[in-house]
Amino acid sequence: MELLLLEPVFKQMIWGGSRLKDDFGYDIPGDNTGECWAISAHPHGDCTLKNTEYKGKTLSWLWENHRELFGNVQGDRFPLLIKIIDAKADLSIQVHPDDAYAAKYEHGSLGKTEMWYVLDAAKDAQLIYGFYHDMEKSVLKKSLEDGTVERFLQKVQVKKDDVFYIEAGRVHAIGAGTLIAEIQESSNLTYRMYDYHRVDKNGRERELQIDKALEVVDLQGSDQPRQ
């Protein structure tokens, strides 16, 4: 059977860059493009078929109408979302809910557990992976309010070919100078906890979701991730 080729969806971000064009030759919408949704049937970015008799159809349509192409697997939605992430600057400190929380409080959405494969990284690139030690919710909340949360976060050096598993509930952030392939559940739920008081082109800080983040975050200290 002929391979099915997809037209990716691009997302411009305050922290994005131009490597999706420079390294992969994609026709990106601007030099602040942070994400390529390469395989996605999510409503916020549904890839379109580029070839075969299904050209012009979306991946979600193909999933609904030709399940035989997916091995007749069961499920009410395409389960995965695969991205390439270009972090020219640090991403926000964030956390994702699990499936149970998302289903109950986010209109039946999936939660978000993800895996990162580091395609490339600058010499001193880092990422944030959980807390150094067990936290109390009140201490975490205060540190988010007064901007001192970074002192509690575990920072990990990264290099090309490293792999990280980020389960729902683990606080995390991709650091500047990192190019990552991300395999995740088909979800667009991110609860930003802290964003360094950055402002967008209109001079506004991005919205935070601290209350929801405090409900889902894993407060236990994290081991060093296996790489």
Side-chain angles (χ1 to χ4, degrees):
M1 179 180 176
E2 186 178 357
L3 290 176
L4 298 173
L5 303 180
L6 296 172
E7 189 68 49
V9 176
F10 298 100
K11 303 288 184 176
Q12 292 179 279
M13 302 291 189
I14 195 171
W15 42 262
S18 61
R19 294 192 66 177
L20 293 169
K21 174 182 65 178
D22 300 338
D23 291 33
F24 297 97
Y26 284 124
D27 183 15
I28 60 176
D31 287 342
N32 63 334
T33 302
E35 296 183 351
C36 165
W37 291 24
I39 303 176
S40 171
H42 193 277
H44 294 172
D46 200 352
C47 293
T48 303
L49 275 295
K50 295 171 63 175
N51 65 337
T52 75
E53 63 188 288
Y54 308 116
K55 182 177 180 180
K57 299 292 188 181
T58 61
L59 182 57
S60 63
W61 179 92
L62 197 67
W63 170 262
E64 289 296 329
N65 292 277
H66 288 281
R67 195 64 64 90
E68 73 279 4
L69 297 176
F70 304 91
N72 290 311
V73 65
Q74 300 299 305
D76 64 349
R77 72 197 87 185
F78 188 75
L80 297 177
L81 200 170
I82 300 177
K83 301 177 181 176
I84 305 172
I85 296 176
D86 172 17
K88 183 177 181 179
D90 293 334
L91 274 67
S92 63
I93 296 166
Q94 56 190 243
V95 69
H96 307 302
D98 63 17
D99 290 343
Y101 184 96
K104 184 174 181 179
Y105 297 106
E106 297 289 358
H107 312 291
S109 172
L110 292 176
K112 189 174 175 184
T113 288
E114 57 196 33
M115 184 277 283
W116 298 339
Y117 173 74
V118 180
L119 298 168
D120 195 23
K123 181 179 179 181
D124 298 321
Q126 296 180 318
L127 59 80
I128 290 170
Y129 186 90
F131 300 108
Y132 281 120
H133 53 71
D134 292 356
M135 291 288 291
E136 295 182 8
K137 189 172 292 189
S138 60
V139 173
L140 176 57
K141 182 177 180 180
K142 185 177 185 302
S143 73
L144 293 169
E145 292 170 347
D146 62 23
T148 61
V149 67
E150 289 182 81
R151 63 181 172 152
F152 300 116
L153 301 173
Q154 179 174 230
K155 294 185 178 180
V156 180
Q157 293 292 126
V158 295
K159 64 184 185 304
K160 186 179 183 297
D161 296 325
D162 281 346
V163 176
F164 299 91
Y165 176 68
I166 312 293
E167 61 258 277
R170 188 180 301 279
V171 62
H172 63 276
I174 297 172
T178 311
L179 187 68
I180 281 179
E182 178 176 287
I183 301 173
Q184 59 158 90
E185 292 183 81
S186 184
S187 171
N188 198 29
L189 287 177
T190 295
Y191 299 155
R192 294 192 199 101
M193 305 173 75
Y194 186 69
D195 197 34
Y196 312 101
H197 298 289
R198 288 184 290 196
V199 296
D200 62 20
K201 61 183 180 181
N202 298 313
R204 294 192 295 263
E205 292 187 17
R206 293 196 295 172
E207 182 182 1
L208 302 179
Q209 297 84 28
I210 293 175
D211 289 343
K212 287 184 176 181
L214 291 173
E215 289 184 345
V216 304
V217 67
D218 182 353
L219 295 169
Q220 292 185 319
S222 299
D223 295 332
Q224 279 278 336
R226 294 182 179 178
Q227 298 167 257

